[in-house]
């Protein structure tokens, strides 16, 4: 393991200690893409639940606009059918408070886009831009996502 230059890790602190002991001193540890994508993918759902609670006064129920898009918020925008895109649009525009859900969805899609860039340099540029912008977002769940990503980056 002494020749390992880059190691992808679970963000759990115990992984960092094992990495430090097993790899060379100049090896870089980075959080695994699956952990980053999971964290980013969870954010729109958290915003949806909060926005739904704020606008209806209760947890999501059948018939609530945001309840219909629960699963769509986890999907890649590139894989949505026309009908699914229309459902998202209808839910986002049903009430002004739903704008935060739309913003969260687009932020998660931008995080997903980092790993789909043509070159690693493009991915790094997009990731750097996101780590600057996300922590300043007025949506608490997205700001927390940005702070977490920045913390992971600074720790490695």
């Amino acid at each position: 393991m002494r020749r390992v230059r880059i190691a992808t890790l679970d963000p759990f602190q115990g992984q960092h200690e094992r990495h430090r002991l097993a790899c060379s001193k100049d090896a870089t540890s980075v959080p695994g893409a699956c952990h980053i994508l999971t964290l980013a993918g969870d954010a729109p759902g958290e915003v949806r639940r909060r926005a739904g609670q704020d606008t209806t006064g209760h947890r999501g129920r059948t018939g609530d606009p945001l309840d219909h898009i629960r699963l769509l918020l986890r999907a890649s925008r590139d894989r949505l059918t026309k009908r699914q895109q229309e459902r998202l649009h209808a839910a986002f525009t049903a009430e002004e408070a739903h704008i935060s859900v739309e913003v969260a969805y687009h932020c998660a899609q931008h995080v997903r886009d980092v790993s789909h860039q043509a070159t690693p340099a493009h991915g790094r540029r997009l990731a750097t831009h996101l780590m600057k912008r996300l922590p300043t977002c007025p949506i608490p769940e997205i700001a927390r996502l940005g702070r977490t990503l920045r913390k992971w980056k600074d720790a490695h």
Side-chain angles (χ1 to χ4, degrees):
M1 293 271 297
R2 295 289 180 200
R3 294 183 0 209
V4 172
R5 292 191 178 138
I6 298 175
T8 59
L9 305 173
D10 183 312
F12 171 64
Q13 189 61 37
Q15 287 277 349
H16 301 289
E17 183 63 17
R18 278 187 241 132
H19 167 264
R20 189 184 65 72
L21 294 172
C23 297
S24 64
K25 290 182 179 30
D26 60 342
T28 302
S29 62
V30 295
C34 62
H35 299 303
I36 293 170
L37 294 177
T38 298
L39 194 63
D42 289 345
E46 293 169 7
V47 176
R48 178 193 64 82
R49 283 187 289 280
R50 182 180 49 76
Q53 180 76 34
D54 292 348
T55 58
T56 64
H58 56 75
R59 291 181 57 191
R61 295 185 183 147
T62 302
D64 291 344
L66 293 178
D67 187 59
H68 286 88
I69 63 167
R70 184 172 45 89
L71 297 177
L72 293 179
L73 291 175
R74 295 199 71 82
S76 172
R77 66 177 165 239
D78 301 335
R79 296 182 181 259
L80 296 175
T81 66
K82 182 75 169 158
R83 184 168 181 267
Q84 290 170 327
Q85 291 171 11
E86 290 167 358
R87 283 175 47 206
L88 276 178
H89 179 72
F92 292 155
T93 58
E95 292 195 35
E96 189 174 337
H98 296 182
I99 292 170
S100 62
V101 181
E102 182 177 14
V103 171
Y105 175 73
H106 290 297
C107 288
Q109 294 299 311
H110 288 307
V111 171
R112 181 185 295 238
D113 289 345
V114 169
S115 61
H116 296 291
Q117 295 300 305
T119 66
H122 287 117
R124 277 191 297 276
R125 272 198 299 278
L126 181 56
T128 300
H129 175 74
L130 286 172
M131 281 190 268
K132 287 179 186 173
R133 301 293 305 269
L134 293 180
T136 64
C137 182
I139 301 168
E141 295 86 353
I142 299 303
R144 185 180 70 230
L145 168 65
R147 287 190 306 271
T148 300
L149 293 176
R150 184 183 290 167
K151 181 177 151 188
W152 286 352
K153 178 191 175 288
D154 293 344
H156 305 299

